[in-house]
């Protein structure tokens, strides 16, 4: 039976949860996620679990934060003056905003604190600092 190796394109169904069981993503009801193994298209800890699997195999993989979205980087949090933010921009804690860097790149940030003078935004990935668990099923190899 054919086994996955680096460079293969695979299709997987998956459910991703935090270690407390909270589901953060799933391919349920969608087509399998397709990607090239070893190409860096998915988080390293999940990518490294695939070689050796065959179509139909199921596996549970625990991925430490260092092999997922990394630790929280405090430098990715920034307090910005409230007066520089247009009045029509919602500033509820937890809301995600699209902002532009000084270099012109689009970036998604989350509002994490608001006071009278500043809004603190966080550009860390929402799953940074989290250990993750994936239940995966290999659907295809090509």
């Amino acid at each position: 039976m054919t086994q996955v190796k680096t460079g293969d394109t695979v299709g997987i169904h998956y459910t991703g949860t935090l270690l407390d069981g909270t589901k953060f993503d799933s391919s349920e009801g969608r087509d399998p996620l397709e990607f090239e193994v070893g190409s860096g298209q998915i988080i390293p800890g999940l990518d490294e679990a695939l070689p050796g699997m065959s179509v139909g195999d199921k596996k549970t993989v625990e991925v430490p934060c260092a092999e997922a979205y990394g630790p929280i980087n405090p430098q990715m949090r920034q307090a910005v003056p409230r007066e520089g933010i247009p009045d029509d921009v919602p500033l509820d804690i937890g809301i995600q905003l699209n902002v532009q860097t000084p270099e012109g790149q689009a970036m998604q940030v989350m509002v994490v604190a608001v006071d009278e003078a500043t809004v603190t935004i966080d550009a860390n990935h929402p799953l940074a600092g989290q250990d993750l668990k994936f239940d995966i099923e290999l659907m295809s190899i090509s």
Side-chain angles (χ1 to χ4, degrees):
M1 185 164 256
T2 303
Q3 293 186 330
V4 174
K5 61 188 178 313
T6 299
D8 287 342
T9 296
V10 298
I12 64 169
H13 274 303
Y14 67 92
T15 299
T17 59
L18 303 178
L19 295 187
D20 69 4
T22 304
K23 183 176 10 176
F24 63 83
D25 196 12
S26 174
S27 64
E28 187 177 339
R30 303 187 310 224
D31 289 337
L33 175 65
E34 290 193 359
F35 56 93
E36 182 183 326
V37 176
S39 67
Q41 293 174 305
I42 64 168
I43 59 173
L46 186 54
D47 208 5
E48 294 163 4
L50 293 162
M53 290 183 72
S54 300
V55 172
D57 285 355
K58 295 180 181 182
K59 183 187 277 191
T60 297
V61 182
E62 289 195 13
V63 181
C65 78
E67 295 176 24
Y69 296 98
I72 292 173
N73 179 349
Q75 295 178 340
M76 299 288 284
R77 283 189 169 204
Q78 182 177 4
V80 296
R82 201 169 176 158
E83 70 229 15
I85 301 172
D87 291 337
D88 63 337
V89 174
L91 297 177
D92 302 321
I93 292 177
I95 198 160
Q96 293 195 343
L97 303 173
N98 290 314
V99 298
Q100 196 167 0
T101 66
E103 296 80 30
Q105 256 188 314
M107 175 186 289
Q108 194 169 56
V109 298
M110 182 182 297
V111 175
V112 294
V114 178
D115 63 29
E116 302 214 359
T118 61
V119 175
T120 303
I121 56 174
D122 187 346
N124 282 289
H125 188 282
L127 294 172
Q130 299 279 346
D131 295 330
L132 309 176
K133 184 169 97 173
F134 291 90
D135 291 314
I136 60 175
E137 180 178 4
L138 184 65
M139 305 304 291
S140 64
I141 304 172
S142 57

